[in-house]
DNA sequence: TTCATTTTCGGTCGGTCGACCGAATTAAAT
DNA sequence: ATTTAATTCGGTCGACCGACCGAAAATGAA
């Protein structure tokens, strides 16, 4: 293994360990020592590679969010009907919840409440999600005409914040609420399918 | 001041101080000493009145949530048209955000991710919100007929999780997103008004 | 007043935290 | 082979944490 490869491995191990711990013990339960121990690397490597605990978390945030946003973007760029894309998005939600990614991202959002640098990053990434969902909504409006009184931006965000809120419910294991929440979101896919059928291109 | 009154004052001061600090420095920035200092009472009073830091937080959670849920319940029980109630709900959201209550409740939700006792409380309270919103949705369905393919429970949660997600965006100062989010939520009130007009009882 | 109970108080305990340091090790350059 | 720089490592620093203690004060009953 070359020097650079080894260096990168240590870096990745630290990022991976931070993600694992974030899922297991949450943001408040994180510590440099636990991360280093979980990664199986010396404590000092955290400061060497990321400068500080915050630096590590910022890097982790970027890695995790890019992963999700890229996948979602690719999915929406495929040329399936929108209703199928919606079903895929619902399935992604389910998968990401099981894998722990949702937990990681939400932990970072809470970290953002008390850390301006993390907040700025989160804001940029939320902008990315808004742009994606808005463009999807715009395509739907272009094809099927206006949807209620909403602009594409409003529609995109309405969808986004519904998913966001549902994620919160699911993370909290609010069973009574989250079941209906997931069903409601899924049924919206049915509404989209109906819209496609009326336009004759389902 | 009687003995009980003084005792209650100390208790309330601690709860109020915990809320203040939760708004200012977040859950992670809390400490028994800061709370005691902010409240202007000795450190040991926290353990005397609440047994532990967690006990204090559970009490705070109850106080803050009851306040909001009671107000919202009373508002929905008034006999204004639903569209007006919706506008009120949007105004409450705005007020609660400015006052910091939203921040406190969301900080507690974050804490709930890593603390089972807090999580159980949060779950109970989310159930309370679901019940309220579901009954409102049920009334609307009774009066105006089915709304899309949604049950009352699904509709209530759909609304609830949209507000929840919007709160997250607003807390994070995700300006680009939250403006459209707030507008979209408000416009739903317009849709409700239209529904009322069609039924001839707006 | 005397006494028992509740409440308040300052102080301290063991423990964990993030940050940092200087020595040791490794890899590349000459 | 020797030098130089990059990287790894164990260990330690001061700061802060929640929990707890025993003494002291306040309170109400006798």
């Amino acid at each position: 293994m070359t020097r650079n490869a080894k260096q990168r491995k240590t870096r990745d191990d630290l990022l991976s360990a931070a993600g694992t711990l974030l899922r297991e013990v949450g943001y408040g339960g994180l510590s440099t020592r636990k991360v280093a121990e979980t990664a199986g690397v010396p404590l000092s490597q955290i400061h060497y590679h990321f400068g500080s605990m915050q630096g590590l978390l910022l890097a982790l945030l970027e890695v995790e969010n890019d992963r999700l946003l890229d996948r979602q973007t690719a999915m929406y760029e495929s040329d399936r009907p929108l209703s199928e894309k919606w079903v895929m998005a619902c399935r992604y939600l389910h998968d990401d919840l099981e894998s722990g990614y949702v937990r990681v991202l939400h932990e970072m959002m809470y970290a953002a409440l008390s850390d301006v640098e993390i907040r700025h990053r989160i804001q940029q990434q939320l902008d990315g999600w808004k742009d994606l969902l808005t463009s999807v909504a715009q395509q739907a409006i272009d094809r099927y005409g206006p949807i209620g009184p909403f602009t594409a931006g409003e529609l995109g965000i309405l969808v986004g914040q519904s998913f966001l809120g549902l994620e919160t419910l699911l993370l909290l294991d609010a069973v009574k609420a989250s079941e209906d929440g997931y069903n409601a979101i899924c049924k919206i896919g049915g509404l989209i399918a109906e819209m496609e059928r009326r336009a004759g291109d389902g």
Side-chain angles (χ1 to χ4, degrees), chain A:
Chain A
M1 189 157 44
T2 79
R3 175 201 203 150
N4 279 345
K6 184 175 178 187
Q7 187 181 354
R8 191 171 30 229
K9 181 182 183 307
T10 298
R11 219 189 106 101
D12 291 347
D13 285 349
L14 281 169
L15 283 172
S16 159
T20 301
L21 283 173
L22 218 42
R23 278 160 223 167
E24 287 176 4
V25 298
Y27 178 77
L30 274 187
S31 75
T32 50
R33 287 159 216 279
K34 279 187 197 157
V35 172
E37 191 188 0
T38 303
V41 306
L43 171 61
S44 51
Q45 291 297 84
I46 290 178
H47 296 94
Y48 180 77
H49 284 284
F50 302 99
S52 67
M53 189 66 171
Q54 194 204 45
L56 189 158
L57 289 173
L58 285 171
L60 173 66
L61 172 58
E62 195 157 323
V63 166
E64 299 268 354
N65 188 70
D66 285 356
R67 183 175 191 142
L68 265 63
L69 188 51
D70 288 350
R71 184 195 55 183
Q72 203 89 336
T73 302
M75 189 271 284
Y76 275 119
E77 276 172 355
S78 70
D79 57 357
R80 279 173 280 216
L82 183 55
S83 57
E84 277 185 33
K85 292 177 183 172
W86 186 272
V87 173
M88 284 295 291
C90 293
R91 192 169 310 153
Y92 283 165
L93 171 62
H94 183 266
D95 293 347
D96 295 338
L97 204 88
E98 289 224 330
S99 75
Y101 286 134
V102 173
R103 169 78 188 265
V104 171
L105 288 177
H106 277 247
E107 289 280 356
M108 294 302 295
M109 284 193 225
Y110 281 109
L113 291 180
S114 306
D115 183 318
V116 284
E117 280 205 58
I118 294 182
R119 184 155 69 245
H120 286 158
R121 284 290 186 125
I122 289 267
Q123 287 166 352
Q124 290 171 9
Q125 298 180 343
L126 286 174
D127 285 350
W129 284 94
K130 182 196 150 95
D131 290 341
L132 170 62
L133 291 171
T134 298
S135 84
V136 173
Q138 187 62 57
Q139 287 171 28
I141 290 176
D142 290 345
R143 175 164 242 159
Y144 306 110
I147 298 172
F150 304 107
T151 67
E154 290 162 355
L155 212 53
I157 284 298
L158 200 53
V159 167
Q161 71 195 15
S162 291
F163 271 89
L164 205 56
L166 176 55
E167 284 171 9
T168 302
L169 294 180
L170 290 166
L171 281 177
L172 289 170
D173 259 329
V175 186
K176 194 172 162 190
S178 56
E179 196 173 324
D180 273 344
Y182 193 75
N183 288 339
I185 287 281
C186 290
K187 281 191 180 178
I188 290 180
L191 286 178
I192 295 174
E194 195 183 329
M195 186 174 69
E196 289 167 349
R197 241 176 288 122
R198 271 203 302 269
D201 62 22

